[in-house]
């Protein structure tokens, strides 16, 4: 269900194509860079990186923030472009607010985070640890939040003194071009930030050739495994944010209306195509019926349709294949006894293709794929639980571990439960949000590494120690 390395490649024409989920037409296409062109681009990036890293930190920060500002100035064009490429309704206004927030935070903490750690500065010795950029960073970004996921690494990597090569998903083919144009017009050198249209084979060859000091990949588990295979033996640093099956747990003292509103939005926003979207919900027995009733009422009021229509609240999924995977999980669950609570007749735009009616399922269990496999679509299963112990066991019964959303008035209880959940982030009374001050990370098949926060800078740089004995 996540983006794949090969998605959108037409081997007959050697073109990468974006097929619009809105109407099925080819919205954009670009030629695949040859191996020679790709290696030459990396060579230029390596050559330009040292001069970029030698610039004052404040100058790099100013240029990166100016690039982000230029991106914001394009928002009126970006929003409908995203609707055509991946189906998000224009009413939601794009991703610039989050891009600006994350870049601003990383800019604010850069000086302190990247400052040397001084162990001694005396007449006899100077001992310190400095953080050096890796060199060239490869960012392989997905289509579901194409600007937000890219900026998580692009902005701090550039600020830290790296050169960046961006390979974007075919479904959002034009995003990389827009990003580099915005940054180049702000004054970031062309060779320091490059967008390449790469196929799977060339991407693997570049990684295997130690072309990059760091590779950040957001996508499928299979894609992450391919990155690890390509990097095997090179000791290249990797950041991998892969699958998710994020749970929500509603306890007896929860604010029910707030829990319903947030968890339903977390499950259905962006047609469910969110890395940390809510994919399974566990509700204490006393609130279960009321939760299901309120959630069903909320989802039933959605409007599925053309994302360019300002009245649309739920657009198409990005690709027919993704929608069919959700349909398969749903139909398998129904055949096994699950109960749908949302009337599909309320969504006449469901065409059996990319347009897919949202659904809530009850009487589900963990024998069903809809409660185990990543759905990445507008569907969620809701289970009744009798205790914290049962909820914890169910939340941990997953191959994935990105976020978990706990709903209670008791912060100590939430923290105690959170300590026992195998996940990267624990939310209390919140869901589906990325806080740039906190490390974005996961465990198990969700991958490894961490983006944003102080730790994000640590991953995008390497430590170097200086032990200088002064002449006496």
């Amino acid at each position: 269900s996540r983006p794949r390395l090969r998605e959108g490649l037409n081997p007959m024409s050697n073109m990468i194509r974006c097929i619009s989920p809105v109407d099925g037409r080819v919205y954009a296409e670009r030629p695949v860079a040859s191996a020679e062109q790709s290696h030459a681009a990396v060579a230029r990036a390596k050559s330009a990186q040292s001069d970029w890293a030698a610039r004052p930190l404040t100058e790099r920060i100013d240029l990166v923030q100016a690039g982000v500002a230029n991106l914001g100035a394009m928002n009126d064009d970006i929003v409908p472009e995203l609707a055509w490429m991946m189906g998000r309704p224009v009413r939601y206004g794009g991703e610039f607010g989050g891009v600006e927030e994350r870049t601003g935070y990383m800019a604010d903490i850069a000086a302190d985070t990247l400052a040397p750690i001084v162990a001694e500065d005396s007449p006899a010795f100077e001992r310190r640890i400095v953080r050096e950029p890796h060199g060239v960073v490869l960012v392989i970004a997905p289509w579901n939040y194409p600007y937000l996921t890219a900026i998580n690494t692009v902005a701090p990597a550039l600020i830290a003194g790296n050169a960046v090569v961006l390979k974007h998903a075919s479904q959002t083919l034009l995003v990389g071009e827009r990003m580099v144009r915005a940054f180049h017009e702000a004054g970031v050198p062309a060779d320091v930030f490059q967008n390449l249209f790469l196929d799977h084979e060339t991407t693997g060859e570049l990684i295997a050739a130690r072309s990059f000091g760091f590779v950040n990949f957001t996508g499928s588990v299979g894609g992450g495994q391919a990155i690890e295979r390509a990097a095997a033996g090179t000791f290249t640093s990797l950041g991998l944010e892969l699958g998710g099956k994020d749970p929500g747990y509603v306890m007896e003292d929860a604010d029910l209306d707030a829990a319903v509103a947030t968890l339903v939005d977390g499950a259905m926003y962006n047609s469910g195509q969110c890395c940390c979207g809510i994919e399974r919900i566990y509700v204490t027995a006393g609130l279960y019926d009321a939760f299901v009733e309120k959630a069903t009422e909320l989802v039933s009021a959605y409007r599925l349709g053309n994302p360019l229509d300002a009245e649309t609240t739920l657009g198409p999924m990005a690709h027919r294949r993704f929608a069919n995977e959700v349909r398969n999980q749903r139909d398998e669950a129904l055949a096994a006894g699950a109960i749908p609570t949302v009337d599909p007749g309320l969504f006449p735009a469901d065409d059996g293709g990319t347009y897919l009616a949202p659904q809530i399922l009850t009487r589900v269990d963990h024998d069903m794929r809809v409660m185990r496999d990543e759905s990445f679509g507008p569907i969620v299963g809701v289970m009744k639980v009798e205790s914290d112990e049962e909820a914890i066991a169910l939340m941990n019964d997953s191959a994935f571990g990105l976020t978990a959303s706990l709903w209670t008035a008791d912060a100590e209880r939430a923290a105690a439960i959170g300590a026992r959940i195998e996940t990267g982030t624990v939310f209390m009374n919140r869901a589906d949000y990325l806080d740039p001050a906190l490390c974005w990370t996961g465990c198990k098949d969700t991958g490894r590494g961490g983006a944003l926060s102080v730790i994000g800078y640590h991953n995008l740089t390497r430590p170097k120690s200086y032990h200088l004995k002064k002449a006496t």
Side-chain angles (χ1 to χ4, degrees), residues 177-391:
E177 287 185 336
R178 280 202 178 273
M179 289 188 73
V180 296
R181 189 175 91 201
F183 279 64
H184 293 169
E185 290 176 354
V188 175
D191 290 337
V192 167
F193 184 23
Q194 300 182 60
N195 176 63
L196 292 182
F197 299 105
L198 298 172
D199 61 17
H200 174 82
E201 182 178 1
T202 302
T203 302
E205 288 177 359
L206 288 170
I207 294 171
R210 299 192 184 190
S211 301
F212 310 107
F214 183 85
V215 176
N216 178 262
F217 172 77
T218 304
S220 68
V221 174
Q225 291 169 336
I227 296 294
E228 285 202 326
R229 285 193 295 269
T234 67
F235 308 112
T236 300
S237 296
L238 302 178
L240 305 172
E241 197 249 285
L242 311 176
K245 193 72 180 174
D246 292 7
Y249 172 34
V250 182
M251 300 170 226
E252 67 277 359
D253 62 344
D255 181 330
L256 181 61
D257 289 337
V260 169
T262 303
L263 292 175
V264 166
D265 183 66
M268 301 296 169
Y269 184 76
N270 207 35
S271 298
Q273 299 167 136
C274 300
C275 296
C276 57
I278 295 297
E279 296 219 353
R280 49 200 174 107
I281 301 173
Y282 308 100
V283 184
T284 191
L287 294 179
Y288 178 81
D289 290 339
F291 182 96
V292 171
E293 180 181 357
K294 288 175 178 289
T296 301
E297 181 181 2
L298 188 56
V299 173
S300 298
Y302 285 169
R303 177 170 174 176
L304 175 67
N306 190 317
L308 295 156
D309 183 344
E311 300 301 313
T312 294
T313 56
L314 199 69
M317 294 191 67
H319 195 283
R320 180 188 293 265
R321 177 172 62 83
F322 308 151
N324 285 341
E325 169 62 11
V326 178
R327 291 188 177 98
N328 290 339
Q329 290 187 21
R330 177 199 66 195
D331 293 347
E332 290 170 16
L334 296 178
I339 303 297
T341 70
V342 178
D343 178 6
L346 296 171
F347 303 93
D350 187 332
D351 60 356
T354 56
Y355 291 87
L356 173 64
Q359 190 55 267
I360 296 171
L361 298 177
T362 59
R363 295 191 188 176
V364 291
D365 58 48
H366 280 219
D367 289 332
M368 301 174 182
R369 285 202 309 125
V370 76
M371 296 299 285
R372 295 193 326 271
D373 293 355
E374 187 175 34
S375 302
F376 221 56
I379 191 168
V380 67
V382 186
M383 289 180 65
K384 183 188 299 184
V385 294
E386 301 292 342
S387 67
D388 288 350
E389 291 297 321
E390 182 183 7

Side-chain angles (χ1 to χ4, degrees), residues 6-337:
R6 285 189 180 274
E7 192 62 49
L9 178 63
N10 185 339
M12 299 301 293
S13 63
N14 207 33
M15 300 288 285
I16 297 177
R17 289 179 170 173
C18 167
I19 307 299
S20 174
V22 176
D23 58 8
R25 68 184 174 94
V26 177
Y27 181 73
E29 60 181 1
R30 296 291 186 272
V32 178
S34 68
E36 293 77 13
Q37 290 170 329
S38 302
H39 283 281
V42 170
R44 293 195 303 273
K46 289 183 176 179
S47 178
Q49 183 268 329
S50 57
D51 286 343
W52 173 250
R55 295 195 187 197
L57 175 60
T58 55
E59 183 179 329
R60 297 198 302 267
I61 290 172
D62 288 345
L63 289 171
V64 168
Q65 291 191 301
V68 167
N70 284 348
L71 203 59
M74 301 176 183
N75 206 51
D76 288 346
D77 295 324
I78 285 174
V79 170
E81 194 170 82
L82 286 176
W84 279 110
M85 289 192 295
M86 50 75 66
R88 186 185 306 129
V90 295
R91 68 180 289 131
Y92 298 119
E95 303 172 15
F96 180 67
V99 169
E100 188 176 43
E101 177 192 20
R102 297 176 191 183
T103 302
Y105 182 82
M106 296 306 285
D108 288 344
I109 68 169
D112 288 340
T113 304
L114 297 173
I117 300 171
V118 179
E120 181 180 358
D121 186 5
S122 73
F125 287 97
E126 183 179 340
R127 297 182 295 132
R128 66 182 185 274
I129 303 168
V130 301
R131 303 216 63 92
E132 289 196 342
H134 284 296
V136 182
V137 170
L138 173 64
V139 178
I140 306 175
W143 50 263
N144 61 323
Y145 284 92
Y147 289 97
L148 283 170
T149 52
I151 208 67
N152 289 349
T153 304
V154 169
L158 290 172
I159 288 171
N162 296 284
V164 174
V165 172
L166 175 61
K167 176 203 179 301
H168 224 296
S170 62
Q171 198 64 50
T172 41
L173 194 60
L174 306 181
V175 169
E177 287 185 336
R178 280 202 178 273
M179 289 188 73
V180 296
R181 189 175 91 201
F183 279 64
H184 293 169
E185 290 176 354
V188 175
D191 290 337
V192 167
F193 184 23
Q194 300 182 60
N195 176 63
L196 292 182
F197 299 105
L198 298 172
D199 61 17
H200 174 82
E201 182 178 1
T202 302
T203 302
E205 288 177 359
L206 288 170
I207 294 171
R210 299 192 184 190
S211 301
F212 310 107
F214 183 85
V215 176
N216 178 262
F217 172 77
T218 304
S220 68
V221 174
Q225 291 169 336
I227 296 294
E228 285 202 326
R229 285 193 295 269
T234 67
F235 308 112
T236 300
S237 296
L238 302 178
L240 305 172
E241 197 249 285
L242 311 176
K245 193 72 180 174
D246 292 7
Y249 172 34
V250 182
M251 300 170 226
E252 67 277 359
D253 62 344
D255 181 330
L256 181 61
D257 289 337
V260 169
T262 303
L263 292 175
V264 166
D265 183 66
M268 301 296 169
Y269 184 76
N270 207 35
S271 298
Q273 299 167 136
C274 300
C275 296
C276 57
I278 295 297
E279 296 219 353
R280 49 200 174 107
I281 301 173
Y282 308 100
V283 184
T284 191
L287 294 179
Y288 178 81
D289 290 339
F291 182 96
V292 171
E293 180 181 357
K294 288 175 178 289
T296 301
E297 181 181 2
L298 188 56
V299 173
S300 298
Y302 285 169
R303 177 170 174 176
L304 175 67
N306 190 317
L308 295 156
D309 183 344
E311 300 301 313
T312 294
T313 56
L314 199 69
M317 294 191 67
H319 195 283
R320 180 188 293 265
R321 177 172 62 83
F322 308 151
N324 285 341
E325 169 62 11
V326 178
R327 291 188 177 98
N328 290 339
Q329 290 187 21
R330 177 199 66 195
D331 293 347
E332 290 170 16
L334 296 178

